[in-house]
Amino acid sequence: EIVTQKDLMVVPNAPRFFREGDKMNFSAKVVNMSEETLSGEAQLVFMDARTMQDISELLQLNTIQSTFETEKGSSAEVSWEIQIPEGIDVITYRISASADNFTDGEEMAIPVLSNRMLVTESMPLPINGNETKSYKFNKLVNSGGSKKSGSTLRNHKLTLEFSSNPT
């Protein structure tokens, strides 16, 4: 019979994905398999997975360290409040715990899903040969083109396609 375990293990409770704007508690379980009571610190750092630059402040992570104490054969919970920013598509977390001479850690990348949905709008522009007409794109004009109070609308791209035979 073989049993493999560490005297101190950190087990993150990470989601499968984040969504832009999420506010959550990122939690982990610190397991004490040693023969004595352990007290120590757990540390959490977030990085942009593409550049590996520390982005913990962007996630409004106020403190990267959390203390814990756990009896032998039991576990303790550690957690941090975070908010997922916009504009990052993959976040890597690195969590570690240490107490006495024991350490453990894990690093994993988590995708960030956008809350945006691309909406395409089209309108017919009928015109005959040798004719001049003016058209006003009222929905585009009235959208404001930028973030208004209470609105999340953002213009992405304007494409004008003109065809002599639209079918």
Side-chain angles (χ1 to χ4, degrees):
E1 182 176 314
I2 296 174
V3 176
T4 59
Q5 65 188 24
K6 294 179 80 174
D7 289 334
L8 177 71
M9 295 183 291
V10 61
V11 182
N13 186 17
R16 288 186 5 217
F17 60 86
F18 294 126
R19 269 207 189 274
E20 290 179 341
D22 276 354
K23 290 181 182 178
M24 64 175 289
N25 280 331
F26 191 97
S27 63
K29 178 171 67 170
V30 180
V31 182
N32 179 2
M33 300 303 287
S34 73
E35 295 298 320
E36 57 195 50
T37 298
L38 293 177
S39 61
E41 288 188 340
Q43 181 175 345
L44 178 65
V45 176
F46 290 98
M47 297 164 289
D48 183 332
R50 298 194 187 281
T51 64
M52 295 310 284
Q53 297 296 315
D54 188 335
I55 58 168
S56 299
E57 284 186 19
L58 285 176
L59 278 78
Q60 299 177 7
L61 184 63
N62 295 332
T63 178
I64 63 170
Q65 294 187 337
S66 179
T67 59
F68 65 88
E69 183 172 338
T70 177
E71 303 281 326
K72 78 174 196 173
S74 66
S75 60
E77 180 190 9
V78 289
S79 69
W80 296 265
E81 279 190 31
I82 61 171
Q83 181 169 349
I84 307 303
E86 290 183 8
I88 298 174
D89 56 352
V90 182
I91 294 176
T92 297
Y93 71 85
R94 182 181 294 154
I95 188 166
S96 61
S98 61
D100 292 343
N101 292 328
F102 307 117
T103 61
D104 189 30
E106 182 175 311
E107 180 175 301
M108 180 75 67
I110 300 176
V112 179
L113 305 180
S114 174
N115 279 335
R116 304 251 167 243
M117 180 174 56
L118 185 61
V119 177
T120 302
E121 185 176 346
S122 61
M123 70 183 251
L125 305 172
I127 190 168
N128 294 321
N130 296 327
E131 183 178 27
T132 302
K133 281 191 175 178
S134 294
Y135 294 95
K136 187 169 185 178
F137 297 86
N138 289 321
K139 288 185 180 179
L140 180 64
V141 170
N142 295 330
S143 73
S146 64
K147 201 171 188 178
K148 294 194 271 185
S149 62
S151 173
T152 60
L153 177 67
R154 287 192 198 153
N155 289 332
H156 172 67
K157 177 168 72 170
L158 173 65
T159 303
L160 179 63
E161 183 178 319
F162 192 82
S163 173
S164 60
N165 186 3
T167 58

